[in-house]
Amino acid sequence: MAEDLTLASTERRRPPTGTGTGTGSRPRYVYLLLALVPAALVLAVLRFGAEIAGLDGGSGGASGGAAGKAPAASGTFAALLLALPVILLVCHLTAGLFRRMGQPAVIGEIVAGVLLGPSLLGLLWPSGHDLLFPAELSGPVGILAQLGLVCFMFVVGYELDIGEVRGRGQAVLAISHVGVAVPLLAGALLALGMYGSYAPDGLGFTPFGLFIAVAMSITAFPVLARIIAERRPGELRVGGIALSCAAVGDVTAWCLLAVVVATAAGSSPAGVVWILVLTALFCALLHFAVRPLLRRMLNGTRQARGTSVLPVLFSAILLCALATEEIGIHAIFGPFLLGAVTPRGSAPLEWALGRLRSVTETLLLPLFFVFSGMRTSVGLLDGRQAWLWCLAIVVVATAAKWGSTTLAARGCGMGREDSMALGALMNCRGLTELVVLNVGLDLGVITPTVFTMFVIMALVSTVLTAPALTLVRRRYAGT
């Protein structure tokens, strides 16, 4: 029995087969025969194939094609990898700076786009601007910016609470539509004077005048919501009314912009009507078919399966963008309408929306700001006349929006302080104005010079919002 135990322990201590001195050289032979020899044969096959291709005369064409395409694509990708960190860091820094100044972060991001564009960086350091943003980079940046834009428009539509608008009655409808109608009239009158000098060549007055009018009537609902959220509770009594008015006004403005897009496409009156009919059918499809499907899917999705909502949501956003693009009213309208009909209150949807919003606001929207900044060149305002027109746009836009909203609110029975505060809030244009302006520039309805003038107007009117609210509160603090 002791011998058996001794034998067993000896066998346990014995080295495994193949690790002794007699078999230690086997792995070397295996490596040599099965790794090094095939690698050497690969090199030989490649050399032999290259010689055959050279004899056939195919080497020059093939290598020339590869040499002509690969470096260009590689250079564009490398330029994008260099530009993205600069864009994100500059947007982050300027957003933080403006937040400390009491302004919404989006203003800093818009300013970052202007600073990185030809207005400042291109003017002070042309070689650095060309290094960071070469001409071939505009295509990829533009595509990513448009992708961010359609995702952002879904968020805008989702944040519009139509139920809250219904609950505030006729006063909201009256105030919001007065705040749209008067700036529309002011913009149309302003377009009469601008048309001869600043309209694109060959463009009729109708699309130009319509677009200037719509651009004057915009209120930035997302930026407005953030300004109100950053105020202390109880400090702003008209916050809910302002959000309701902005929601109604934005829906009205987007409908008018759809008419502008259809008109600018050169469609006949019957063609414009047909586009509007297709748009109405698309809205009905979303409300009566897509909305119930989304509600059924969300109700049947557990919170643990929230990850399955995100790809479905993103696919729906892209398909709706494609649908409205094919209809002829622009890709931004589809996601906006989808967001407006999407059911609220689902935990999986909120989880997916949080991920979508984080990617959009952190990465894609800064690209949109810089893309807009690339198209903004203050140097185009090269004379006294251009600067006077820019000043006129700022003054007319502010007076028309703020004044008309204040008067309408007073007419509906609101007090002076609340009416003035509501007018200041509705004058906020921000990011929504940039979206509209980019649509107009892409359609060829406005020139880069007019685009720059309205970008300046959007910045000034939005920057004025927070200080104007403070001044109104102080003015009526003792009354």
Side-chain angles (χ1 to χ4, degrees), residues 66-266:
K69 295 180 181 179
S74 176
T76 302
F77 183 62
L80 187 63
L81 294 180
L82 175 62
L84 280 178
V86 175
I87 293 172
L88 297 178
L89 289 175
V90 173
C91 285
H92 176 72
L93 291 175
T94 54
L97 176 63
F98 274 78
R99 193 182 290 113
R100 290 185 178 183
M101 296 166 56
Q103 295 287 343
V106 68
I107 297 298
E109 293 172 333
I110 296 173
V111 170
V114 176
L115 295 180
L116 292 174
S119 296
L120 186 68
L121 182 61
L123 183 64
L124 300 179
W125 191 20
S127 59
H129 181 270
D130 294 338
L131 175 65
L132 282 175
F133 307 110
E136 63 269 17
L137 200 61
S138 61
V141 171
I143 292 174
L144 290 174
Q146 294 299 319
L147 182 61
L149 189 58
V150 297
C151 294
F152 167 74
M153 291 306 298
F154 172 82
V155 175
V156 172
Y158 185 81
E159 290 181 348
L160 288 176
D161 191 350
I162 304 299
E164 184 179 351
V165 174
R166 293 195 195 103
R168 297 189 180 271
Q170 298 179 351
V172 167
L173 188 64
I175 295 171
S176 61
H177 281 177
V178 169
V180 170
V182 174
L184 279 173
L185 176 59
L189 294 174
L190 201 64
L192 285 174
M194 297 178 63
Y195 178 72
S197 301
Y198 295 104
D201 294 337
L203 182 72
F205 177 76
T206 299
F208 179 78
L210 272 176
F211 183 83
I212 297 298
V214 171
M216 284 284 188
S217 65
I218 292 296
T219 294
F221 179 86
V223 179
L224 183 64
R226 283 155 180 78
I227 291 176
I228 294 173
E230 290 172 1
R231 292 271 158 173
R232 292 190 297 270
E235 181 183 0
L236 196 62
R237 295 192 298 267
V238 296
I241 297 177
L243 289 176
S244 301
C245 291
V248 174
D250 267 9
V251 171
T252 305
W254 290 122
C255 294
L256 293 173
L257 184 61
V259 176
V260 173
V261 174
T263 305

Side-chain angles (χ1 to χ4, degrees), residues 359-438:
V359 173
T360 301
E361 296 181 356
T362 304
L363 176 62
L364 298 178
L365 273 186
L367 293 179
F368 174 74
F369 296 135
V370 172
F371 183 66
S372 301
M374 290 178 179
R375 305 171 118 187
T376 303
S377 179
V378 178
L380 293 174
L381 309 182
D382 56 356
R384 180 182 177 185
Q385 179 184 3
W387 280 107
L388 287 176
W389 274 112
C390 183
L391 178 62
I393 290 172
V394 173
V395 172
V396 171
T398 302
K401 194 73 173 179
W402 194 345
S404 62
T405 303
T406 301
L407 290 175
R410 290 288 291 157
C412 291
M414 295 178 61
R416 291 183 180 180
E417 180 182 356
D418 290 344
S419 299
M420 290 288 291
L422 184 60
L425 287 169
M426 296 297 287
N427 190 47
C428 177
R429 288 176 171 85
L431 178 55
T432 309
E433 185 75 26
L434 282 187
V435 174
V436 174
L437 294 177
N438 276 277

Side-chain angles (χ1 to χ4, degrees), residues 287-456:
H287 184 75
F288 293 107
V290 176
R291 180 180 173 88
L293 286 176
L294 287 174
R295 183 181 290 110
R296 191 176 301 114
M297 181 192 75
L298 294 173
N299 290 338
T301 303
R302 298 193 307 260
Q303 187 171 358
R305 294 177 53 206
T307 52
S308 64
V309 176
L310 184 57
V312 174
L313 180 64
F314 189 65
S315 300
I317 290 172
L318 297 182
L319 290 174
C320 287
L322 175 63
T324 51
E325 181 73 17
E326 292 298 320
I327 288 173
I329 58 172
H330 203 275
I332 62 174
F333 292 102
F336 173 78
L337 295 171
L338 176 65
V341 303
T342 299
R344 274 74 168 168
S346 169
L349 177 63
E350 293 296 332
W351 182 91
L353 189 63
R355 271 59 179 178
L356 179 68
R357 185 186 283 112
S358 64
V359 173
T360 301
E361 296 181 356
T362 304
L363 176 62
L364 298 178
L365 273 186
L367 293 179
F368 174 74
F369 296 135
V370 172
F371 183 66
S372 301
M374 290 178 179
R375 305 171 118 187
T376 303
S377 179
V378 178
L380 293 174
L381 309 182
D382 56 356
R384 180 182 177 185
Q385 179 184 3
W387 280 107
L388 287 176
W389 274 112
C390 183
L391 178 62
I393 290 172
V394 173
V395 172
V396 171
T398 302
K401 194 73 173 179
W402 194 345
S404 62
T405 303
T406 301
L407 290 175
R410 290 288 291 157
C412 291
M414 295 178 61
R416 291 183 180 180
E417 180 182 356
D418 290 344
S419 299
M420 290 288 291
L422 184 60
L425 287 169
M426 296 297 287
N427 190 47
C428 177
R429 288 176 171 85
L431 178 55
T432 309
E433 185 75 26
L434 282 187
V435 174
V436 174
L437 294 177
N438 276 277
V439 171
L441 191 59
D442 290 336
L443 291 173
V445 177
I446 57 174
T447 62
T449 302
V450 176
F451 178 87
T452 300
M453 292 178 180
F454 274 84
V455 168
I456 294 174

